[in-house]
Amino acid sequence: QVQLVESGGGSVQSGGSLRLSCAASGFPYSISTYYMGWFRQAPGNEREGVAAIDTAGESTYADSVKGRFTISRDNAKNTVYLQINNLEPDDTAMYFCAAGRVNWQLLPRYNYWGQGTQVTVSS
């Protein structure tokens, strides 16, 4: 059974940092062959792509997070990370990771999704 399990969310003050993790399991092919993305969704808002990483390790970021978010992957550990620095109240959202065999980058069209981890930033 394919699973993506996010962790690392929490409540932090503005300016703080968090490292989100996404552990993958049960995929039919090596996780190294999957494109991975991080998305977020705040109440009343659409799901927004914030970072994506391709199979070669190249990353893409939304303009709103460039310079503060860093996506990385450790294929040996079947895990994708999202380092978030200098958090702002507008970063408050549920964060989801996603996986797929097509390079959707920041489009929410991936095949597989996790359940999310909540990030709350107070000013």
Side-chain angles (χ1 to χ4, degrees):
Q1 181 180 357
V2 170
Q3 274 194 313
L4 292 170
V5 180
E6 301 94 335
S7 61
S11 296
V12 297
Q13 289 192 326
S14 184
S17 298
L18 285 172
R19 188 194 196 200
L20 308 185
S21 298
C22 172
S25 62
F27 280 77
Y29 304 100
S30 169
I31 196 64
S32 65
T33 66
Y34 288 81
Y35 299 89
M36 307 292 294
W38 280 98
F39 292 77
R40 66 185 181 187
Q41 188 167 19
N45 290 359
E46 292 186 354
R47 191 164 293 191
E48 171 194 20
V50 296
I53 189 165
D54 68 14
T55 55
E58 294 294 319
S59 54
T60 302
Y61 297 96
D63 288 343
S64 60
V65 307
K66 281 181 182 176
R68 299 189 299 120
F69 288 24
T70 303
I71 188 171
S72 61
R73 64 192 302 163
D74 186 337
N75 293 327
K77 295 183 178 180
N78 292 335
T79 303
V80 177
Y81 304 98
L82 186 67
Q83 178 69 40
I84 310 176
N85 296 327
N86 196 19
L87 277 155
E88 304 168 353
D90 283 349
D91 294 320
T92 295
M94 185 71 79
Y95 283 72
F96 302 87
C97 72
R101 302 295 300 280
V102 175
N103 192 8
W104 294 114
Q105 295 193 327
L106 301 180
L107 293 176
R109 298 184 66 179
Y110 290 76
N111 297 97
Y112 306 104
W113 292 84
Q115 294 298 306
T117 185
Q118 178 68 36
V119 172
T120 303
V121 185
S122 57
S123 57

